[in-house]
Amino acid sequence: MEKIISFLETAKLARKQVYRNLTVFPLLAPDGNKPDYQTLEQALDEKLIQITELSKEGSVPELKLKNLGKKSVLIIEGEELVGAKQNRIVNSSFFIAGKTEVVIPVSCVEQRRWTYRSGSFVSGKRMMHASLRRVHQEDVNYSLKIGRGYRSDQGRIWNDIEEKLERMEVHSPTSAMADAYESYEDPLSEFLKNFQLIDWQVGAVFAVDGRIIGMESFGCHDTFKRFFDKLVKSYALDALDGRDKQQSKSVPPHDARRFIASAIKSKGENHPSLGLGKKVTFESRTASGSALVEGDRVLHLSAFKKEKMKNGRGAGFRRLSQRRSRR
């Protein structure tokens, strides 16, 4: 937890950027090194990594990953993989060494398909929308806490996506998260035009409808730059689904600083990672999150604002509903 605290205490909040009901506070930090690794999207595009179903029959919560290159590959929680028998997202952030084969924990984000479209996966160039990633991270962190590994609540994911598609009036034959993004491609592009990367930026704090939602940060500028568009879109999709999507909401910088301070005061727990480094989950009264730490560097950190608990674990994030079948 010391590395995370030091990382967050070093980061500085820059002037906010606002478009409609989405507010972004850039996080700035010094960065002396270029990354000595590739991102998952880079490695997939260059065919230096291969991700396939675990077997011919497939397994919803697991995929086989082969890093064919010499460089390590950084995989970020919520990144979408498209193809094979159904689209998935990665359950947590991992740092996979070169020339390594592992089984990675994933969740399905396409409910009504279980047939091959391709032999292997490609990058969807998207991330799970932020509101769902918040509860998904909570579920995975809880699973780690009780010793069940990097498992998610698949029923909750399917239900959330289906509800979002219905609210946003998106027709999707397979109840795929990707269809929401594709249906709103033009409005999401407008959001992107109104947010800019700035010098020394390694992350951001995001607010929707005037309320702080979460924070994303990376160990170097170059890596954050590669995720900037996907992260903005992941919060913008929630903004388009928000109560006040046409209105700008004032969010004082103090709210963002208070959220960061809450993350700094969190209690952390270390967990073995699937690849290199370690996973650190942390929680305070108002924030919860996780970070991937390797050596003396924080490769990726994400945290979300907690909401009031009502009827047990997770109820405060989003109402629970019936579990559904996988296909």
Side-chain angles (χ1 to χ4, degrees), residues 27 61 74 86 90 99 131 153 193 207 215 220 233 240 242 272:
L27 279 175
L74 178 63
Q86 60 183 194
V90 183
K99 303 296 182 180
S131 59
D153 185 334
K193 291 176 184 177
M215 169 173 59
C220 64
K233 285 184 176 181
L240 288 166

Side-chain angles (χ1 to χ4, degrees), residues 15 39 86 114 140 155 201 265 276 297 304 325:
R15 185 176 180 178
T39 64
Q86 60 183 194
W114 193 244
V140 173
Q201 188 171 358
K265 294 175 183 177
L276 303 172
R297 57 182 176 174
F304 294 96
S325 64

Side-chain angles (χ1 to χ4, degrees), residues 27 33-34 39 52 59-60 69 84 86 91 108 111 125-126 136 138 166 199 211 247 253 278 291-292 305 309 320-321:
L27 279 175
N33 300 301
K34 285 285 186 180
T39 64
T52 60
S59 171
V60 173
Q86 60 183 194
N91 278 359
C108 169
Q111 186 176 353
K125 304 187 186 299
R126 289 179 290 260
H136 173 260
E138 184 205 24
E166 183 177 352
D199 291 343
R211 298 169 58 250
Q247 300 179 20
K278 64 182 178 181
L292 179 59
K305 183 75 176 292
M309 306 295 278
L320 297 174
S321 41

Side-chain angles (χ1 to χ4, degrees), residues 13-281:
L13 209 63
R15 185 176 180 178
K16 67 183 178 184
Q17 301 175 20
V18 182
Y19 178 66
R20 293 188 178 180
N21 58 332
L22 177 61
T23 301
V24 177
F25 292 91
L27 279 175
L28 313 182
D31 171 22
N33 300 301
K34 285 285 186 180
D36 56 354
Y37 53 82
Q38 287 193 306
T39 64
L40 177 62
E41 184 177 320
Q42 283 178 291
L44 284 169
D45 287 351
E46 296 177 21
K47 301 189 185 306
L48 292 175
I49 202 167
Q50 183 182 60
I51 302 178
T52 60
E53 298 288 355
L54 194 61
S55 63
K56 183 179 179 180
E57 294 74 24
S59 171
V60 173
E62 297 173 309
L63 295 176
K64 184 188 297 183
L65 180 152
K66 293 181 181 179
N67 185 355
L68 306 173
K70 294 180 180 179
K71 286 188 175 182
S72 299
V73 174
L74 178 63
I75 301 171
I76 300 302
E77 64 179 31
E79 285 196 84
E80 186 186 31
L81 299 166
V82 173
K85 299 192 79 169
Q86 60 183 194
N87 297 349
R88 316 289 222 290
I89 58 94
V90 183
N91 278 359
S92 191
S93 296
F94 300 112
F95 196 41
I96 308 301
K99 303 296 182 180
T100 299
E101 181 175 331
V102 293
V103 174
I104 58 171
V106 294
S107 299
C108 169
V109 287
E110 182 183 24
Q111 186 176 353
R112 298 192 180 96
R113 177 171 72 92
W114 193 244
T115 55
Y116 276 100
R117 286 183 180 168
S118 60
S120 59
F121 289 88
V122 297
S123 172
K125 304 187 186 299
R126 289 179 290 260
M127 299 188 73
M128 177 187 277
H129 51 278
S131 59
L132 180 52
R133 198 149 51 87
R134 177 170 62 178
V135 294
H136 173 260
Q137 185 188 88
E138 184 205 24
D139 288 332
V140 173
N141 286 359
Y142 181 75
S143 180
L144 285 169
K145 185 180 183 68
I146 63 174
R148 298 180 67 191
Y150 291 88
R151 296 181 62 178
S152 67
D153 185 334
Q154 183 63 72
R156 175 143 66 165
I157 292 169
W158 276 327
N159 185 71
D160 183 286
I161 293 172
E162 206 160 84
E163 288 183 345
K164 195 171 197 70
L165 292 169
E166 183 177 352
R167 285 193 309 272
M168 300 185 78
E169 300 181 338
V170 174
H171 174 66
S172 175
T174 60
S175 293
M177 180 188 76
D179 287 335
Y181 278 98
E182 290 171 6
S183 295
Y184 281 80
E185 183 176 354
D186 290 342
L188 289 171
S189 295
E190 287 300 312
F191 273 87
L192 276 182
K193 291 176 184 177
N194 286 274
F195 295 100
Q196 293 82 38
L197 278 163
I198 62 176
D199 291 343
W200 303 102
Q201 188 171 358
V202 296
V205 176
F206 297 84
V208 175
D209 288 338
R211 298 169 58 250
I212 298 295
I213 301 297
M215 169 173 59
E216 308 287 342
S217 195
F218 294 82
C220 64
H221 312 142
D222 185 78
T223 307
F224 179 71
K225 180 179 179 180
R226 293 184 181 278
F227 282 91
F228 180 72
D229 286 5
K230 288 186 281 190
L231 286 168
V232 169
K233 285 184 176 181
S234 76
Y235 283 86
L237 191 68
D238 285 336
L240 288 166
D241 189 23
R243 294 187 299 271
D244 302 309
K245 53 190 172 185
Q246 298 298 328
Q247 300 179 20
S248 295
K249 287 281 190 176
S250 178
V251 183
H254 175 70
D255 286 0
R257 293 192 183 98
R258 187 165 52 187
F259 175 67
I260 295 170
S262 180
I264 289 172
K265 294 175 183 177
S266 297
K267 294 181 179 179
E269 291 185 9
N270 295 336
H271 305 276
S273 183
L274 184 64
L276 303 172
K278 64 182 178 181
K279 171 67 65 174
V280 181
T281 59

Side-chain angles (χ1 to χ4, degrees), residues 263-327:
I264 289 172
K265 294 175 183 177
S266 297
K267 294 181 179 179
E269 291 185 9
N270 295 336
H271 305 276
S273 183
L274 184 64
L276 303 172
K278 64 182 178 181
K279 171 67 65 174
V280 181
T281 59
F282 54 90
E283 185 174 6
S284 70
R285 186 174 59 85
T286 57
S288 66
S290 69
L292 179 59
V293 179
E294 192 264 337
D296 61 353
R297 57 182 176 174
V298 177
L299 292 171
H300 175 240
L301 179 150
S302 65
F304 294 96
K305 183 75 176 292
K306 293 168 70 174
E307 294 190 2
K308 292 180 180 179
M309 306 295 278
K310 293 180 181 178
N311 299 316
R313 185 185 64 84
F317 285 89
R318 187 170 294 274
R319 65 181 180 277
L320 297 174
S321 41
Q322 290 182 328
R323 303 294 185 256
R324 299 174 186 258
S325 64
R326 78 175 186 184
R327 308 198 256 280

